């Protein structure tokens, strides 16, 4: 039986409800979905790799066919190592498109057998990004409904530390 495995890569610093919405859609489409956290994101992350891994693991617990992993180096090398057929990415708005289009074509050049598949999250998350969530939280604004409650807890714990 042919099964389709996809990788959903990102920084996930932290995971948002927009990410989880995309994961839910991907879990219905693919036999197995691996959420892959980039270890050495050049932007200095708020959460460590382990914290991001733990938050995502909690977030995907409800899905039987979704696992979480970390990776370093080229995404296509990780995809090949995982024997994945596809890379899943979300497009929230047309402003995401140019960067995603470049990455998809670069990844295709590096690994023609791996397809990039774009899904669109629920419109209510189209303005949600990890970057804005962190900024609003740090300035005292509410991020309720934009990230899962356990992420809010960890952000609160982090700001007290
Ligand atoms: O959520 P992000 O930060 O937009 O995710 C970006 C990510 C992790 C998908 C991208 O930076 C990536 O794939 N990095 C790994 C290095 C790599 O393969 N670079 C070439 C991609 S064209």
């Amino acid at each position: 039986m042919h099964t389709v495995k996809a990788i959903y890569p990102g920084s996930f610093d932290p995971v948002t409800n927009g990410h989880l919405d995309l994961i839910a859609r991907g879990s219905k489409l693919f036999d197995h979905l691996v959420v892959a956290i980039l270890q050495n994101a050049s932007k200095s992350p708020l959460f460590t790799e382990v914290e991001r891994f733990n938050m995502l693991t909690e977030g995907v617990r409800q899905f039987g066919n979704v696992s979480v992993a970390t990776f370093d180096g080229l995404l296509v090398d990780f995809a090949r190592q995982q024997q994945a057929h596809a890379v899943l990415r979300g497009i929230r708005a047309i402003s995401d498109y140019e960067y995603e289009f470049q990455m998809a074509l670069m990844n295709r050049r590096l690994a023609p057998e791996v397809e990039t598949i774009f899904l669109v999250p629920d419109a209510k998350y189209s303005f949600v990004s990890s970057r804005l969530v962190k900024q609003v939280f740090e300035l005292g604004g509410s991020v309720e409904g934009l990230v899962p409650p356990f992420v809010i807890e960890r952000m609160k714990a982090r700001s007290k530390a």
Side-chain angles (χ1 to χ4, degrees):
M1 197 179 82
H2 181 67
T3 59
V4 182
K5 184 175 184 178
I7 309 282
Y8 178 40
S11 309
F12 303 108
D13 184 41
V15 59
T16 67
N17 286 343
H19 293 132
L20 292 175
D21 178 276
L22 213 77
I23 291 169
R25 292 171 200 283
S27 78
K28 286 192 244 159
L29 208 54
F30 304 111
D31 296 297
H32 192 83
L33 183 65
V34 181
V35 182
I37 306 165
L38 179 65
Q39 281 170 15
N40 290 337
S42 51
K43 28 191 172 180
S44 62
L46 174 66
F47 291 105
T48 66
E49 176 195 325
V50 173
E51 287 172 316
R52 286 181 279 149
F53 180 89
N54 290 340
M55 284 187 278
L56 267 166
T57 302
E58 200 158 339
V60 307
R61 208 167 28 198
Q62 55 185 304
F63 308 109
N65 62 343
V66 180
S67 58
V68 183
T70 59
F71 79 104
D72 212 353
L74 282 178
L75 171 63
V76 290
D77 287 344
F78 179 73
R80 278 178 168 158
Q81 182 199 318
Q82 290 283 316
Q83 296 184 309
H85 308 89
V87 166
L88 172 65
R89 290 286 288 173
I91 294 206
R92 292 165 296 194
I94 198 72
S95 50
D96 283 336
Y97 181 73
E98 200 172 5
Y99 172 58
E100 295 299 333
F101 180 73
Q102 281 184 353
M103 277 208 302
L105 288 181
M106 182 61 83
N107 284 334
R108 177 178 286 164
R109 183 174 186 275
L110 296 167
E113 77 280 14
V114 178
E115 289 294 347
T116 299
I117 294 177
F118 297 117
L119 289 179
V120 175
D122 193 305
K124 66 179 185 250
Y125 300 126
S126 57
F127 65 97
V128 179
S129 69
S130 300
R131 186 179 60 84
L132 279 187
V133 162
K134 282 185 283 194
Q135 190 181 96
V136 168
F137 181 83
E138 276 160 25
L139 297 173
S142 169
V143 292
E144 219 163 294
L146 307 183
V147 291
F150 57 83
V151 170
I152 297 184
E153 287 311 309
R154 282 180 199 238
M155 289 175 96
K156 282 184 182 159
R158 170 51 54 96
S159 66
K160 279 187 211 132

